[in-house]
Amino acid sequence: MSDLFSKFDDLIALREGLLSTGVTDPFNLVMEKVESPTVAICNGRRTILLGTYNYMGMTFDPDVVAAGKKALDEFGSGTTGSRVLNGTYVGHRAVEDALKDFYAMDHAMVFSTGYQANLGIISTIAGKGDYIILDIDSHASIYDGCAMGNAEIVPFRHNDIDALEKRLKRVPAGAGKLVVLEGVYSMLGDIAPLKEMIAVSKANGAMVLVDEAHSMGFIGEHGRGVAEAQGVIDDVDFIIGTFSKSVGTVGGFCVSNHPKFEILRLVCRPYVFTASLPPSVVATAATSIRKLMDSKAKRNHLWENSKRLHAGLRQLGFKLGTEKSQSAIIAVIMPDLETGAAMWEALLKEGLYVNLARPPATPAGMTLLRCSLCAEHRSEQVEEILGMFAAAGRTTGCI
Ligand SMILES: Cc1ncc(COP(=O)(O)O)c(C=O)c1O
């Protein structure tokens, strides 16, 4: 019998090699208690959270929590059904209405995760004979959506407008074209030149889908994302998003103005063949989304936090993923996995949690310490974080 697990041998060896150095497993941390969007207890120690994508800090918002408790009492713990059968409650409609209002769009479809939103929308709208032209650094859920469908897949160099145009011009005449972009790329925290890319896409007859998972609530005048900030949201055909970041719970969605959009509820398999979100989750999401419409002060503070952390880390001598802060994500580039893991552990011992990211999730084989800031981080906490980076950097020889 051949062992189907032998394909994982290299990864098992890499993991065992890393853990044999005595380093704490960076992919197995347990939060023993979570006190707020910015503080948890890990290994019995008070730890500042700087790797949770909880950009707007909505997880402990009193109105959000109260809405979840009320729905739990009134509707029970789960729907036990698909949206097209017994799984659509008033709360599911209410969160879709909140999304339509948030984005000022005609249609909103909620999925059980953002992963499933990409899987479902991409695989359903781009079929046999169609072409998907996507940034090579796209999220795994976008690639999996492509793999699940039957369209031809054409990747282009990250954020390269000319490369996108060249690929579009090579698509056979008459074929359907979908360009898939992200607002913020979550590994390095850089944003896309959506204005130019969408113009090129439209000039070549393509529909455009933008995943705004890491910009919702924060970037743009109303927090609608990078497409809003660059003045091109009306040219986007489909926006994909998630409730697992700024919204502060779990779930995913697609919003659109396409007149035939509602048919997707019958033909999109990751929407039809899975249970819908629990009533408490959609109630927290709807409350959070409505509060995010009116969060200008929080957005401004988050920008201040992001700029200060970026400048401070640079001053300390760390190599960062972007020249300037472009989003709430700041990526610190490590020379290799061993140093990255040692630095991650040293930060944890200082009382700071960040994400350690490695290939295949990262571009160009990089090991990254990814920091995601929260609007609830106080300015003093950001200074404390910089002190922790300085101490851990010196301990590990990174600076
Ligand atoms: C760009 C992007 N799209 C989609 C997702 C999936 O979101 P969810 O956590 O809701 O499945 C993520 C999550 O990391 C993401 O970064």
Side-chain angles (χ1 to χ4, degrees):
M1 183 187 73
S2 68
D3 182 3
L4 294 169
F5 277 61
S6 57
K7 57 176 92 56
F8 308 123
D9 284 350
D10 287 351
L11 184 60
I12 290 168
L14 181 75
R15 183 179 141 81
E16 282 173 357
L18 183 67
L19 296 183
S20 70
T21 63
V23 80
T24 314
D25 185 349
F27 305 110
N28 215 1
L29 181 79
V30 176
M31 308 237 171
E32 289 132 28
K33 191 168 185 309
V34 181
E35 292 183 353
S36 73
T38 60
V39 173
I41 306 295
C42 305
N43 299 326
R45 192 188 199 296
R46 183 181 175 277
T47 305
I48 297 182
L49 301 173
L50 191 68
T52 61
Y53 312 109
N54 193 353
Y55 302 122
M56 297 299 280
M58 299 306 280
T59 47
F60 280 79
D61 180 280
D63 297 328
V64 169
V65 173
K69 284 182 180 165
K70 185 165 178 284
L72 193 58
D73 284 343
E74 291 178 3
F75 291 94
S77 58
T79 69
T80 71
S82 157
R83 285 296 302 275
V84 295
L85 298 173
N86 57 307
T88 294
Y89 291 9
V90 283
H92 297 83
R93 284 281 159 77
V95 74
E96 287 173 344
D97 288 343
L99 283 166
K100 287 190 262 180
D101 291 344
F102 184 91
Y103 284 99
M105 290 218 182
D106 295 340
H107 304 281
M109 193 167 156
V110 165
F111 291 76
S112 299
T113 63
Y115 177 90
Q116 279 169 277
N118 270 328
L119 203 63
I121 296 293
I122 294 171
S123 65
T124 309
I125 61 178
K128 204 168 167 52
D130 297 329
Y131 281 73
I132 300 174
I133 302 99
L134 80 167
D135 189 294
I136 198 155
D137 286 354
S138 293
H139 188 258
S141 57
I142 293 175
Y143 274 105
D144 292 356
C146 293
M148 190 172 149
N150 295 312
E152 300 294 325
I153 313 303
V154 186
F156 65 89
R157 210 168 77 136
H158 178 55
N159 273 351
D160 187 329
I161 303 159
D162 292 339
L164 166 62
E165 190 169 26
K166 270 187 204 139
R167 303 291 182 283
L168 276 164
K169 291 205 184 300
R170 272 190 225 140
V171 173
K177 288 169 256 185
L178 177 69
V179 171
V180 180
L181 306 166
E182 293 179 34
V184 173
Y185 285 86
S186 70
M187 286 299 145
L188 296 178
D190 57 329
I191 60 167
L194 289 184
K195 191 170 178 193
E196 294 78 5
M197 289 188 148
I198 291 173
V200 160
S201 305
K202 293 283 153 176
N204 286 278
M207 283 191 160
V208 178
L209 178 150
V210 182
D211 182 331
E212 296 270 18
H214 292 275
S215 50
M216 181 190 184
F218 171 40
I219 296 181
E221 170 76 21
H222 302 90
R224 291 174 188 152
V226 177
E228 182 189 31
Q230 297 184 8
V232 288
I233 196 162
D234 291 341
D235 298 323
V236 177
D237 297 281
F238 308 97
I239 292 180
I240 296 284
T242 175
F243 297 162
S244 72
K245 306 190 196 301
S246 287
V247 178
T249 178
V250 67
F253 63 87
C254 179
V255 290
S256 174
N257 282 327
H258 196 290
K260 298 179 189 163
F261 187 78
E262 294 297 324
I263 195 64
L264 292 177
R265 292 188 200 271
L266 296 182
V267 292
C268 180
R269 296 170 69 88
Y271 178 85
V272 173
F273 293 104
T274 196
S276 64
L277 287 167
S280 54
V281 168
V282 286
T284 56
T287 307
S288 176
I289 290 163
R290 293 212 177 268
K291 288 194 87 165
L292 287 175
M293 288 186 207
D294 190 24
S295 296
K296 213 173 172 96
K298 272 183 133 181
R299 287 197 257 284
N300 289 343
H301 181 62
L302 183 48
W303 272 122
E304 275 167 28
N305 283 347
S306 170
K307 285 178 184 155
R308 173 65 193 127
L309 185 67
H310 191 282
L313 288 172
R314 265 196 106 143
Q315 228 163 15
L316 286 171
F318 287 102
K319 196 173 160 205
L320 306 182
T322 53
E323 275 295 303
K324 288 199 169 137
S325 74
Q326 297 185 15
S327 68
I329 301 169
I330 292 165
V332 183
I333 302 172
M334 293 283 108
D336 51 56
L337 180 60
E338 289 69 31
T339 317
M343 181 70 189
W344 179 88
E345 186 179 47
L347 285 172
L348 195 64
K349 285 191 178 143
E350 288 288 324
L352 183 67
Y353 172 76
V354 298
N355 297 136
L356 179 68
R358 54 171 294 273
T362 55
M366 282 191 264
T367 297
L368 302 172
L369 292 178
R370 276 188 319 154
C371 308
S372 50
L373 285 144
C374 176
E376 296 288 327
H377 282 125
R378 287 174 287 102
S379 305
E380 307 83 73
Q381 265 178 324
V382 177
E383 299 308 319
E384 207 184 330
I385 288 166
L386 285 168
M388 292 166 166
F389 261 97
R394 283 184 207 112
T395 312
T396 55
C398 283
I399 52 171

